[in-house]
Amino acid sequence: MSTTSADRDVAASRTPKNGFDRYFEISARGSTVGREVRGGFATFFTMAYIVVLNPLILGAGVDAVGGSLPIAALAAGTAFVAGLMTLLMGVVARFPLALAAGLGVNALVAYEIAPEMTWADAMGLVVIEGVLIGILVLTGLRTAVFRAVPTQLKTAIGVGIGLFLMIIGLVDAGFVRRMPDAANTTVPVELGIGGKLTSWPALVFVLGLIFTIVLFVRRVRGAILIGILVSTVLAIIVEAIAKVGPSFVDGKPNPKGWSLNVPALPDKIFDLPDLSLIGKFNVLDSWGRAGWLVVIMFIFTLLITDFFDTMGTMVAVGLEGDLLDSEGMPPRTREILLVDSVAAAAGGAASVSSNTSYIESASGVAEGARTGVANLVTGALFLLAMFLAPLVTVVPFEAASTALVLVGFLMMTAVRQIDWTDYEIAVPAFLAITLMPFTYSISNGIGAGIISYVVIKLAVGKSREVHPLLYAVAVVFVLYFLRGPLESLIG
């Protein structure tokens, strides 16, 4: 077969231009440095909220002796660990997956674990959990479990995460809200306030989303990043004129206020970081203070959440960037999982809770990121955020959430790869997809998908089609879902 000029052009475009290109496989994955930089910026802006939100969550918790963590130190530590771990993921795994303190896990640490012991003890358990996950990676068990999941179920996990991202964006922007009297109505959520969009922040979100979508369908480069920046500028102008204020004023809710950040230009740009919480952890005292059964249950919960959240996240990001192989595996899976386990332990060691892979990385992939170079940009921005914390607090949820909704759409398109006529895979896929957004948890969706897959295969007499590891994983998830009754029995 003769080689056409088009084939030769494609081959030339994918030929490494230098050592940097060769190491990160920029050309080989059909990317460019410009796309990677844009992708790195987009990822940072869609997840920079964690620098503000993580301190608010952890700072609100009180440990067993009445101790609390300083907000300034939490903010600096959050940015510091996120920056280092994101850089490590970029250099070692060379995959466009950023990391930061995990939402959900930080709430577990703040409101369930810390009240049973000291903050140092609680963070020590996070370190133990990270070490255990690292051991599972080094022994090959974590990768083996990942390979055992059917390819179409992996695709469903990615689709479910897309819907999860969308609902996160809609809720964070205030476009969708919980009904105030949800206990007395059949409708748990509503549009805006009272079924109407009556606030300036909601208008900014809607206009920003429409603007971003228009840029995207017109195939404008950097559409998502431009959308975030333009939405932020619009938010600053609106705040300057309307004086909307924050969503909470003097401890009282202001439904029409800005979520997370009030978009106003800061009084100062630079601020020295407080890294005093680094190293403030203890891995031994918790066993005696809270009891070994309670401690084991806490570690188990942390382990399951981190173990499967990251697996789902890296599949979703790989799917968005067309980086998965025929088995639904991203490149350097082992390295990705190993860095993720190191990040979990590092988050505990810095007293900022377990760090994990962020699905918001998909926004960077949507901007063209395909390699670890995007992580170099995102990681550097997080490290700069330690000194530029005032600037990070300019972007409100209403501006950043536009990216999450659009990325949710992009990830949803993979649903066509699932065979909906085969109920043996379609039902588990359906449960995985729907339960992620409806329970606000990636792990819950994965667990429901795997358990139902195993049960269905057993019911139709096809037990041999189930990988032996999946039986063990299904049992673990059953224990995970039953952890409430188990904890009450232990108590």
Side-chain angles (χ1 to χ4, degrees):
M1 182 181 293
S2 60
T3 302
T4 66
S5 59
D7 293 333
R8 288 192 295 271
D9 290 341
V10 171
S13 67
R14 293 182 177 268
T15 301
K17 299 175 175 60
N18 49 52
F20 182 81
D21 187 346
R22 185 178 300 106
Y23 179 80
F24 285 102
E25 301 175 345
I26 301 173
S27 296
R29 296 186 187 179
S31 185
T32 65
V33 172
R35 291 177 186 172
E36 298 298 316
V37 171
R38 287 202 311 272
F41 270 94
T43 295
F44 174 75
F45 280 115
T46 54
M47 61 184 287
Y49 66 84
I50 195 62
V51 178
V52 177
L53 189 57
N54 192 49
L56 294 180
I57 293 173
L58 292 177
V62 179
D63 66 14
V65 296
S68 60
L69 300 176
I71 298 295
L74 283 171
T78 298
F80 179 68
V81 178
L84 288 184
M85 293 302 104
T86 297
L87 289 173
L88 188 65
M89 180 69 78
V91 173
V92 175
R94 292 171 253 175
F95 193 70
L97 193 60
L99 302 96
L103 287 172
V105 175
N106 53 9
L108 173 67
V109 172
Y111 304 121
E112 294 188 38
I113 299 180
E116 299 290 333
M117 56 195 75
T118 67
W119 279 109
D121 296 336
M123 294 303 173
L125 295 188
V126 176
V127 172
I128 293 173
E129 175 253 336
V131 171
L132 289 176
I133 291 184
I135 293 173
L136 294 176
V137 174
L138 293 174
T139 57
L141 181 61
R142 197 178 187 190
T143 305
V145 168
F146 186 55
R147 289 186 180 279
V149 179
T151 300
Q152 289 192 61
L153 190 51
K154 291 176 186 171
T155 300
I157 290 170
V159 173
I161 291 176
L163 289 179
F164 183 41
L165 267 182
M166 181 201 68
I167 193 67
I168 289 175
L170 294 177
V171 170
D172 286 349
F175 189 85
V176 171
R177 296 174 187 259
R178 182 183 292 108
M179 290 280 285
D181 60 342
N184 301 315
T185 179
T186 57
V187 182
V189 295
E190 64 180 0
L191 173 69
I193 303 171
K196 296 178 287 186
L197 298 176
T198 60
S199 68
W200 284 107
L203 177 62
V204 169
F205 168 73
V206 171
L207 292 178
L209 180 60
I210 293 173
F211 177 70
T212 305
I213 290 173
V214 170
L215 293 180
F216 177 77
V217 297
R218 290 180 64 86
R219 302 186 184 279
V220 174
R221 290 185 177 182
I224 292 176
L225 180 57
I226 294 172
I228 294 172
L229 295 177
V230 170
S231 299
T232 301
V233 172
L234 176 61
I236 292 173
I237 295 172
V238 168
E239 173 60 21
I241 297 172
K243 306 295 182 183
V244 176
S247 55
F248 280 87
V249 180
D250 296 327
K252 297 180 180 180
N254 173 24
K256 296 184 178 182
W258 300 99
S259 299
L260 188 66
N261 296 322
V262 176
L265 293 178
D267 296 330
K268 58 180 179 179
I269 297 177
F270 298 98
D271 201 5
L272 293 177
D274 177 1
L275 300 176
S276 60
L277 288 177
I278 294 178
K280 299 292 181 66
F281 68 97
N282 191 319
V283 298
L284 298 176
D285 289 352
S286 58
W287 301 86
R289 185 182 297 272
W292 67 272
L293 283 176
V294 174
V295 168
I296 287 175
M297 185 59 69
F298 281 144
I299 293 176
F300 174 75
T301 304
L302 288 169
L303 188 71
I304 292 298
T305 302
D306 270 352
F307 192 100
F308 289 99
D309 271 16
T310 296
M311 288 172 59
T313 299
M314 69 180 188
V315 168
V317 172
L319 191 65
E320 171 63 23
D322 194 24
L323 297 173
L324 303 181
D325 60 21
S326 59
E327 297 181 345
M329 302 285 286
R332 299 185 183 85
T333 296
R334 186 170 183 268
E335 287 83 354
I336 294 172
L337 296 176
L338 184 59
V339 173
D340 184 79
S341 64
V342 171
S351 297
V352 295
S353 183
S354 175
N355 271 230
T356 189
S357 303
Y358 259 59
I359 187 57
E360 282 87 345
S361 305
S363 62
V365 174
E367 277 292 353
R370 297 292 182 273
T371 77
V373 176
N375 274 39
L376 301 185
V377 176
T378 304
L381 290 172
F382 267 118
L383 293 179
L384 281 174
M386 292 192 302
F387 302 91
L388 301 173
L391 282 182
V392 175
T393 61
V394 170
V395 183
F397 267 145
E398 289 81 3
S401 293
T402 57
L404 301 184
V405 175
L406 184 56
V407 170
F409 156 73
L410 293 174
M411 295 173 66
M412 181 69 187
T413 59
V415 74
R416 65 184 182 278
Q417 298 176 21
I418 299 171
D419 183 2
W420 295 102
T421 63
D422 180 1
Y423 294 165
E424 294 173 23
I425 190 66
V427 171
F430 168 75
L431 291 175
I433 290 172
T434 55
L435 288 183
M436 284 187 199
F438 290 146
T439 66
Y440 238 62
S441 169
I442 294 174
S443 291
N444 288 347
I446 295 176
I450 289 177
I451 291 173
S452 60
Y453 177 79
V454 171
V455 170
I456 289 172
K457 288 296 184 182
L458 288 173
V460 298
K462 297 181 180 180
S463 58
R464 292 186 178 181
E465 293 184 7
V466 181
H467 194 286
L469 277 176
L470 274 193
Y471 288 110
V473 173
V475 171
V476 169
F477 265 117
V478 169
L479 293 174
Y480 173 74
F481 287 125
L482 292 176
R483 66 189 185 279
L486 291 175
E487 287 171 356
S488 63
L489 288 175
I490 292 174

